[in-house]
């Protein structure tokens, strides 16, 4: 009996050892700067996980045998370790930069099987794509994808799968951004020198993300080098930029600063010094981040950002002997505190607190020669936001991960200086990531927002059809609680943000999508997808809208409606012997319906552009020279062309003359097809880099706006106005 008992004990001991489960966890960081690497892949056999925004990973192993663990990240040398895991083990890994034969021109979908719908874009891509005036622009890199396109020529405002630009959520270091435009949209407010990581969700997005109906763009700024002083200074045709990273306490505390300011406003006055009619503009932005890592478990970051634009013009009406001055200002400033703590190998917690303010102001002044006081009009829209989110990640097993979140937002919104409305919202979210089998994965999420309770379920399934082909099916409901209405009467910013109400509750979008990914050849990746989106509770200005003078008018000037969009997306990526070629095509159909607009008939919004094709290629000659080119084609945008324009006088204080347009139907005219070729040359040598670009290389006269023109015989015709001709650009940068 004693022998039998011993055998039983030994058997159970052997079984316990054989089934011993341990957790391999830690952080993956850059070996030089000690900055965390986001999206690095940690794999053991068929099991793989990706690091989060703090570089953290958690890998469950259920064997006592010696295993091989691989750490890999794009542009870095892969590290491989052999180890035996009998208990939980903390393992922080440093990866060294390796020779990247060719930077990714567009996007590389993460190899991790953890998160469906997430597209990661390396920051190295920013400086390797042709850009207007050689100004590297992170937001416009996203527009090389088939699911996202600019609202108008050259603009950073992004339309994702047929949803309005205002439906795209831009998050920088946990701060919600309401305006992404510099220079009337020709440049974005995101400084390329400040960017560390970029992530994009176009269809399915985790339940932890909310606030907009469309896709989500998340940007993480640089933490700052924890080892060495580094930075760069660059000067281009339109702006100057600088970035510096300072290790205050090595391995623990660092500071990162980045700033940019336009230069053109300094030179325009010299060119038009003697002219009575003058126009000028300037823009600026800055980013700051203090990162503190006292130990391997705790990370704290304090971030701040500031951006602003000013456009002003002065003209003289010689016949009326009156001067006309117009000033437009818009901008954003904000800050955030992000703290992440690894409580255990299976549990990490994150707290984000942020505050921000967006404002837009227009001032028009008219003064005659004998007028004692000018006639003035002022229009202003401001949104202040205070946001707090607490989220937790539970790494239950490699096959199962749970994310929970709770958040609250308090906002102040105004349309006039003394006209302010306050409101708040709360949210609770759950996300479950489940690797069912080696070939089948699922994600599900649930988000509850209140008040005006909106329950948003989300589900996604990913299946490997064969070793080279994968298919995803997704459904998600999203809502937009900060509403906006847009006029497309000019190239200037004209959105009004306002709070939901019982009359205009939060907008809702339901989206289903199917995408197939394939890697048929070693040098070729491709994807084919389709989607359908149903949109409800949309808001738009009523016909005949002129302007808003106070918040109380908003509900009287708006109409509620619905809409839909559907489309097809194709992406081909080929890479062979230093040449990378990408073909991106999308077809999109968008329609809106409002009972009080367009006679109650369905119509096309201004950003409806059915066809879009991008052909891009780059050639990495060596580690010094990079050549790139991109050809863009799209259907022309649409607008409302009036049949007649009538002057009217409005009975406002300090009244001015306005115009009213008589039209047959909304958005009744589509502009000619749009196409252009951009080329760029990049050179690097001993800390210096030179970027030479040519925008619209063959000088295509693309029409951005149509107007009614009357000839000498009083005959009316549609006249097209062009915006951007061939434009060369040069940027010189020195890095230290």
């Amino acid at each position: 009996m004693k022998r039998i008992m011993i055998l039983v004990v030994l058997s159970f001991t052997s079984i316990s050892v054989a089934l011993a489960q341990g957790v391999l966890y830690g952080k993956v960081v850059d070996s030089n700067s000690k900055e965390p690497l986001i999206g690095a892949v940690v794999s053991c056999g068929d099991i793989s996980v990706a690091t989060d925004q703090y570089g953290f990973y958690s890998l469950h192993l259920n064997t006592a045998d010696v295993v091989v663990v691989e750490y890999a990240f794009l542009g870095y040398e892969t590290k491989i370790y052999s180890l035996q895991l009998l208990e939980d083990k903390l393992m922080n890994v440093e990866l060294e930069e390796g020779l990247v034969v060719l930077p990714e021109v567009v996007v590389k979908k993460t190899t991790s099987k953890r998160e469906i719908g997430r597209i990661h874009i390396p920051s190295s891509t920013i400086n390797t794509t042709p850009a207007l005036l050689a100004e590297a622009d992170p937001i416009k890199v996203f527009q090389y994808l088939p699911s996202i396109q600019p609202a108008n020529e050259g603009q950073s405002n992004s339309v994702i799968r047929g949803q309005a630009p205002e439906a795209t959520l831009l998050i920088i270091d946990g701060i919600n951004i309401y305006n992404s435009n510099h220079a009337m949209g020709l440049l974005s407010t995101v400084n390329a020198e400040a960017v560390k990581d970029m992530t994009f969700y176009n269809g399915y997005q985790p339940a932890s993300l909310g606030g907009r109906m469309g896709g989500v763009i998340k940007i993480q700024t640089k933490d700052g080098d924890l080892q060495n002083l580094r930075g760069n200074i660059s000067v281009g045709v339109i702006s100057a930029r600088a970035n510096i990273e300072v290790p205050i306490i090595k391995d623990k505390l660092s500071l990162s600063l980045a700033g940019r300011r336009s230069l053109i406003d300094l030179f325009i006055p010299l060119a038009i010094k003697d002219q009575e009619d003058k126009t000028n503009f300037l823009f600026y932005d800055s980013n700051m981040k203090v990162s503190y890592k006292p130990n391997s478990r705790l990370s704290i970051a304090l971030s701040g950002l500031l951006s602003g634009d000013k456009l002003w013009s002065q003209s003289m009406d010689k016949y009326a002997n009156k001067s006309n001055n117009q000033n437009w200002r818009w901008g954003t400033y904000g800050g955030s505190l992000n703290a992440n703590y690894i409580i255990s190998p299976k549990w990490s917690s994150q707290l984000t607190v942020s505050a921000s303010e967006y404002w837009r102001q227009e001032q028009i002044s008219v003064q005659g020669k004998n007028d004692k006081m000018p006639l003035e009009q002022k229009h202003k829209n401001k949104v202040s936001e205070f946001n707090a989110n607490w989220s937790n990640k539970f790494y239950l097993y490699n096959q199962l991960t749970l994310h929970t979140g709770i958040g609250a937002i308090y906002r102040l919104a105004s349309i006039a200086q003394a006209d302010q409305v306050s409101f708040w919202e709360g949210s609770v979210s759950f996300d479950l990531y489940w690797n069912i089998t080696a070939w089948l994965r699922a994600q599900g999420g649930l988000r509850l927002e209140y008040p005006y309770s909106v329950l948003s379920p989300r589900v996604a399934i990913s299946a490997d059809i064969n070793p080279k082909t994968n298919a995803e099916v997704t459904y998600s409901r999203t809502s937009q609680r900060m509403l906006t209405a847009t006029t497309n009467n000019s190239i200037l910013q004209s959105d009004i943000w306002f709070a939901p109400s019982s009359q205009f509750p939060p907008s809702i979008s339901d989206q289903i999508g199917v995408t197939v990914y394939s890697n048929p050849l070693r040098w070729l990746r491709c994807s084919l997808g389709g989607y359908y989106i149903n949109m409800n509770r949309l808001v738009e200005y009523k016909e005949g809208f002129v302007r808003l003078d106070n918040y109380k008018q908003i509900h009287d000037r708006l109409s509620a409606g619905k809409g839909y969009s559907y489309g097809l997306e194709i992406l081909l990526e080929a890479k062979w012997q230093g040449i990378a070629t990408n073909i991106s095509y999308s077809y999109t159909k968008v329609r809106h319906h409002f009972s009080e607009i367009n006679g109650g008939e369905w119509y096309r919004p201004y950003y409806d552009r059915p066809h879009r094709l991008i052909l891009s290629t780059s050639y990495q000659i060596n580690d010094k020279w990079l050549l790139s080119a991109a050809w863009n084609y799209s259907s022309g945008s649409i607008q409302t062309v009036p049949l007649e324009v009538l002057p009217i006088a409005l009975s406002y204080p300090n009244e001015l003359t306005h115009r009213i347009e008589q039209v047959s139907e909304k958005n009744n005219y589509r502009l000619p097809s749009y196409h252009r070729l951009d080329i760029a040359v990049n050179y690097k040598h001993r800390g210096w880099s030179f970027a030479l670009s040519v925008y619209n290389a063959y000088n295509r006269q693309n029409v951005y706006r149509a107007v009614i023109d009357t000839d000498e015989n009083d005959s009316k015709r549609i006249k097209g106005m062009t915006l951007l001709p061939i434009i060369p650009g040069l940027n010189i940068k020195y890095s230290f």
Side-chain angles (χ1 to χ4, degrees):
M1 179 61 71
K2 187 176 180 180
R3 292 182 178 179
I4 294 175
M5 290 297 295
I6 292 173
L7 288 173
V8 171
V9 172
L10 290 174
S11 298
F12 275 104
T13 302
S14 302
I15 293 172
S16 300
V17 173
L19 299 178
Q21 178 176 307
V23 181
L24 181 68
Y25 69 104
K27 292 184 176 181
V28 182
V29 301
D30 183 284
S31 62
N32 292 321
S33 66
K34 309 303 179 186
E35 286 197 68
L37 298 178
I38 304 172
V41 177
V42 184
S43 58
C44 179
D46 294 331
I47 304 171
S48 66
V49 297
T51 58
D52 63 12
Q53 68 184 71
Y54 298 96
F56 178 73
Y57 73 95
S58 179
L59 186 68
H60 295 244
L61 302 176
N62 59 358
T63 178
D65 297 332
V66 176
V67 295
V68 177
V69 181
E70 181 180 279
Y71 296 81
F73 189 69
L74 181 66
Y76 286 73
E77 307 228 347
T78 300
K79 282 192 175 181
I80 300 174
Y81 296 91
S82 295
L83 52 90
Q84 187 177 26
L85 196 67
L86 300 178
E87 61 183 8
D88 296 345
K89 181 179 179 61
L90 173 64
M91 191 166 177
N92 297 319
V93 176
E94 299 180 359
L95 297 183
E96 298 178 359
E97 285 192 78
L99 178 62
V100 182
V101 178
L102 183 69
E104 294 291 320
V105 175
V106 180
V107 62
K108 184 180 187 298
K109 191 175 174 64
T110 179
T111 58
S112 171
K113 300 178 179 180
R114 304 287 295 191
E115 191 171 353
I116 302 170
R118 177 180 182 268
I119 297 175
H120 174 255
I121 300 181
S123 58
S124 59
T125 306
I126 301 174
N127 295 306
T128 60
T129 55
L132 175 64
L133 295 167
E135 286 284 326
D137 195 327
I139 298 298
K140 291 188 177 181
V141 173
F142 290 96
Q143 297 176 356
Y144 279 75
L145 299 172
S147 54
I148 183 170
Q149 60 178 295
N152 287 300
E153 178 185 6
Q155 290 199 338
S156 55
N157 272 356
S158 299
V159 176
I160 299 177
R161 291 184 167 179
Q163 301 192 84
E166 299 77 30
T168 300
L169 175 61
L170 173 61
I171 306 174
I172 301 178
D173 288 343
I175 305 171
N176 295 334
I177 305 299
Y178 287 85
N179 170 59
S180 62
N181 290 330
H182 274 325
M184 297 76 74
L186 298 180
L187 301 172
S188 78
T189 58
V190 184
N191 186 348
E193 302 301 334
V195 174
K196 170 189 173 183
D197 186 79
M198 305 188 297
T199 301
F200 175 56
Y201 297 89
N202 59 351
Y204 182 89
Q205 56 184 263
S208 59
L209 298 175
R212 298 288 194 277
M213 290 197 305
V216 178
I217 296 174
K218 291 184 67 176
I219 292 178
Q220 293 288 120
T221 62
K222 295 177 180 178
D223 292 330
D225 198 311
L226 288 168
Q227 294 292 312
N228 305 291
L229 175 69
R230 66 162 66 181
N232 59 70
I233 301 173
S234 63
V235 178
V237 176
I238 195 173
S239 72
R241 297 180 293 180
N243 167 248
I244 187 169
E245 300 177 47
V246 184
I248 301 174
I249 302 175
K250 285 195 174 184
D251 297 327
K252 293 184 180 297
L253 182 65
S254 65
L255 170 67
S256 178
L257 297 171
R260 175 172 54 165
R261 191 197 187 279
S262 62
L263 300 175
I264 195 169
D265 60 292
L266 304 177
F267 300 106
I268 286 181
L270 300 177
I272 59 174
K273 182 169 64 174
D274 299 326
Q275 298 182 18
E276 293 184 343
D277 295 345
K278 301 177 181 180
T279 300
N280 208 341
F281 77 93
L282 70 84
F283 65 85
Y284 57 88
D285 55 63
S286 62
N287 297 82
M288 180 275 294
K289 192 172 188 178
V290 178
S291 301
Y292 180 49
K293 302 176 176 66
N295 52 57
S296 60
R297 291 180 175 270
L298 179 62
S299 299
I300 302 174
L302 179 64
S303 301
L305 58 85
L306 170 68
S307 69
D309 286 70
K310 180 182 178 182
L311 172 66
W312 64 99
S313 68
Q314 176 183 319
S315 60
M316 186 68 186
D317 188 340
K318 295 182 179 180
Y319 298 98
N321 200 22
K322 291 184 177 182
S323 64
N324 189 338
N325 296 285
Q326 300 184 61
N327 289 274
W328 295 268
R329 296 173 180 263
W330 62 92
T332 301
Y333 63 86
S336 66
L337 174 66
N338 291 273
N340 184 78
Y341 184 65
I342 303 172
I343 300 175
S344 75
K346 301 180 181 180
W347 180 12
S348 68
S349 185
Q350 180 184 349
L351 175 67
T352 299
V353 180
S354 67
S356 64
E357 182 171 286
Y358 158 75
W359 79 96
R360 182 182 65 85
Q361 179 176 297
E362 176 186 351
Q363 181 176 345
I364 302 175
S365 173
V366 178
Q367 185 171 11
K369 183 178 181 180
N370 299 319
D371 295 338
K372 295 182 179 180
M373 297 291 293
L375 300 177
E376 290 187 343
Q377 288 183 350
K378 292 183 180 180
H379 309 286
K380 188 174 183 179
N381 182 212
K382 183 173 70 174
V383 179
S384 303
E385 180 176 289
F386 306 90
N387 193 350
N389 285 279
W390 180 42
S391 61
N392 292 272
K393 299 178 183 179
F394 300 95
Y395 302 88
L396 306 177
Y397 196 57
N398 294 321
Q399 283 76 23
L400 198 63
T401 304
L402 175 65
H403 294 189
T404 65
I406 182 170
I409 301 178
Y410 179 74
R411 293 190 178 97
L412 297 168
S414 64
I415 294 177
Q417 185 77 25
D419 186 35
Q420 187 168 267
V421 175
S422 63
F423 56 102
W424 75 282
E425 67 182 68
S427 65
V428 177
S429 65
F430 301 90
D431 285 290
L432 191 64
Y433 302 80
W434 185 18
N435 293 335
I436 304 173
T437 67
W439 59 272
L440 183 63
R441 298 168 295 280
Q443 291 178 206
L446 191 64
R447 182 180 180 88
L448 174 62
E449 297 173 318
Y450 50 91
Y452 309 106
S453 296
V454 177
L455 189 63
S456 303
R458 304 165 192 193
V459 62
I461 297 175
S462 176
D464 296 332
I465 300 174
N466 57 52
K468 296 183 178 181
T469 307
N470 171 265
E472 293 181 358
V473 180
T474 64
Y475 163 79
S476 63
R477 166 171 287 187
T478 54
S479 66
Q480 183 153 338
R481 307 184 68 79
M482 198 60 188
L483 304 178
T484 183
T486 303
T487 60
N488 194 38
N489 297 326
S490 72
I491 63 174
L492 296 174
Q493 178 117 347
S494 56
D495 305 330
I496 299 292
W497 295 91
F498 59 95
S501 64
S502 57
Q503 185 178 354
F504 296 99
S507 303
I508 294 177
S509 170
D510 291 279
Q511 179 175 176
I512 57 173
V514 179
T515 306
V516 177
Y517 302 92
S518 182
N519 195 179
L521 302 169
R522 292 183 61 185
W523 53 271
L524 178 65
R525 294 197 304 264
C526 54
S527 64
L528 172 64
Y531 63 89
Y532 178 85
I533 303 175
N534 186 57
M535 296 168 278
N536 288 288
R537 304 176 183 174
L538 301 178
V539 292
E540 188 59 91
Y541 290 122
K542 294 179 180 179
E543 292 180 337
F545 168 81
V546 178
R547 70 175 189 177
L548 291 170
D549 284 316
N550 60 71
Y551 208 101
K552 297 178 182 178
Q553 295 178 348
I554 191 73
H555 295 120
D556 298 330
R557 306 294 176 88
L558 295 176
S559 179
K562 60 184 179 180
Y564 68 84
S565 70
Y566 61 82
L568 177 72
E569 298 169 351
I570 300 174
L571 179 63
L572 303 176
E573 301 173 275
K575 188 174 179 179
W576 182 73
Q577 293 188 357
I579 300 175
T581 301
N582 298 266
I583 302 174
S584 171
Y585 170 78
S586 64
Y587 170 79
T588 307
K589 182 176 181 179
V590 192
R591 295 295 184 271
H592 285 177
H593 180 272
F594 291 76
S595 60
E596 299 177 286
I597 299 176
N598 200 45
E601 299 293 330
W602 289 87
Y603 67 91
R604 304 166 294 184
Y606 75 92
Y607 46 83
D608 174 64
R609 307 173 78 176
H611 301 280
R612 188 166 188 254
L613 175 66
I614 298 178
L615 307 177
S616 63
T617 187
S618 64
Y619 178 36
Q620 187 79 59
I621 301 175
N622 49 43
D623 59 352
K624 295 181 180 180
W625 289 94
L626 173 70
L627 309 179
S628 58
W631 184 74
N632 292 258
Y633 170 88
S634 68
S635 305
S637 58
I638 59 175
Q639 67 172 79
T640 301
V641 177
L643 302 176
E644 195 171 6
V645 180
L646 303 175
I648 60 172
L650 301 179
S651 299
Y652 292 102
N654 300 327
E655 74 178 56
L656 298 173
T657 300
H658 290 259
R659 303 188 308 167
I660 187 170
E661 298 179 341
Q662 302 291 329
V663 300
S664 59
E665 60 179 307
K666 187 176 181 65
N667 294 333
N668 56 358
Y669 184 77
R670 184 176 296 280
L671 302 179
S673 296
Y674 176 95
H675 56 86
R676 75 170 197 271
L677 173 67
D678 305 331
I679 58 177
V681 179
N682 294 76
Y683 175 76
K684 296 180 179 180
H685 183 64
R686 294 183 177 179
W688 290 92
S689 61
F690 303 85
L692 176 64
S693 71
V694 180
Y695 182 91
N696 194 10
Y698 53 77
N699 198 30
R700 162 73 175 181
Q701 300 299 299
N702 288 300
V703 178
Y704 83 95
R705 188 170 178 82
V707 297
I708 299 296
D709 186 42
T710 304
D711 60 19
E712 57 185 11
N713 298 320
D714 205 30
S715 299
K716 296 180 180 179
R717 61 185 179 92
I718 297 177
K719 180 181 178 181
M721 301 175 63
T722 60
L723 184 61
L724 298 177
I726 180 172
I727 302 176
L730 175 65
N731 188 277
I732 302 173
K733 181 167 68 175
Y734 176 72
S735 302
F736 57 90

